[in-house]
Amino acid sequence: MQARESNREDAPAPSGEIPRHIAIIMDGNGRWAQQRGLDRTWGHRQGVKALKPIVKEAARMGVEVLTVYAFSTENWRRPSQEVDVLMTLLVEFLARETAELKGEGVSLRTIGDIGRLPAGAQQSLAWARAETAEETRLILNLALNYGARDEILRAVNRWVGESGEKELTEDTLSRYLDTAGLPDPDLLIRSSGEYRISNFLLWQLAYAEIFISDKLWPDFDPAEFRQAIRSYQARNRRFGGLG
Ligand code: IPE
Ligand code: IPE
Ligand code: MG
């Protein structure tokens, strides 16, 4: 019988270069639920559960930053009942998991225009961020009310208002983005077999390697995560040069 890769926490990490920053588009929750005849929101509940093992695996492997797309600027178009459940799940996730994440050395941060989230979600985020501010093993960056076009416009408008400069450079724009100070993602993972960016990190993904997983997000597990990293390790990143 062929050995199948184990999901156990002591499974060997991929040997080779570990991406410093991994970005994930956590997609397919709704389809996961619909395939089971359940309301889409059950898929979101399962999707939240899928995140913790991936965060732990990333920390264990020595990834520095994990940025996960949790709610886009376009997701407000969904029925208000679904949006309400997503916001509630966020608050519950933070209340339940922050202490354990802190114990794992995880620092919680956000990107996106979180000032437009419900007040309760903003309060939970501020609390979780403060609780974990001293941690340095892994940055877990939650993309919430995030859209890359919105991020770039907010950055440029703030620069216009603050800097008094006439010309914007790549370095300056990078410093005004929500991801200021973080390395660009080396690897972008999208679950559920969709081949699109959906307004995620348009500036920062310029030279990211891309891994599309056919698994729906609630089924995405550490074995699939390691598969993505092994795929990354087999790539030849040339950055426009000759490699
Ligand atoms: C991703 O799953 C979670 C969010 C966008 C909040 P979806 O809800 O997009 O699931 P599908 O793509 O409809 O299956
Ligand atoms: C992208 O997924 C946003 C998140 C995963 C939060 P969507 O499901 O919203 O993207 P589209 O609509 O399929 O492009
Ligand atoms: Mg989707």
Side-chain angles (χ1 to χ4, degrees), residues 5 14 17-19 22-24 54 57 61 63 66 186-191 209-215 217 220-235:
E5 177 159 16
E17 185 212 317
I18 297 295
I22 300 178
I24 308 182
I54 304 303
E57 184 69 3
M61 288 188 318
V63 173
L66 185 66
D186 303 294
L187 172 63
L188 170 70
I189 298 172
R190 182 165 187 153
S191 61
E209 296 293 326
I210 300 176
F211 181 88
I212 307 290
S213 167
D214 283 332
K215 284 190 186 279
W217 177 254
F220 191 93
D221 58 16
E224 186 74 354
F225 188 60
R226 289 192 287 273
Q227 191 56 42
I229 289 162
R230 276 194 295 271
S231 170
Y232 167 84
Q233 289 171 338
R235 312 281 175 91

Side-chain angles (χ1 to χ4, degrees), residues 27-28 31 78:
D27 196 18
R31 275 163 284 170
R78 297 186 180 199

Side-chain angles (χ1 to χ4, degrees), residues 180-214:
L182 302 178
D184 284 342
D186 303 294
L187 172 63
L188 170 70
I189 298 172
R190 182 165 187 153
S191 61
S192 87
E194 303 285 3
Y195 286 71
R196 55 178 175 267
I197 304 277
S198 300
N199 201 13
F200 195 37
L201 299 171
L202 296 179
W203 174 270
Q204 299 88 336
L205 290 172
Y207 270 100
E209 296 293 326
I210 300 176
F211 181 88
I212 307 290
S213 167
D214 283 332

Side-chain angles (χ1 to χ4, degrees), residues 53-129:
I54 304 303
V55 175
K56 284 188 167 185
E57 184 69 3
R60 193 170 75 100
M61 288 188 318
V63 173
E64 292 169 42
V65 187
L66 185 66
T67 299
V68 296
Y69 208 0
F71 193 87
S72 76
T73 46
E74 287 73 32
N75 287 148
W76 298 107
R77 295 176 187 159
R78 297 186 180 199
S80 62
Q81 184 254 0
E82 181 172 342
V83 171
D84 289 349
V85 168
L86 285 165
M87 297 301 156
T88 303
L89 288 172
L90 169 65
V91 171
E92 287 175 5
F93 170 81
L94 295 169
R96 193 175 62 235
E97 306 294 355
T98 298
E100 188 176 336
L101 291 173
K102 182 179 163 78
E104 298 274 337
V106 175
S107 175
L108 257 153
R109 301 215 204 144
T110 60
I111 55 172
D113 193 357
I114 60 164
R116 293 177 192 270
L117 295 179
Q122 292 187 47
Q123 281 159 15
S124 296
L125 286 165
W127 168 78
R129 191 188 167 109

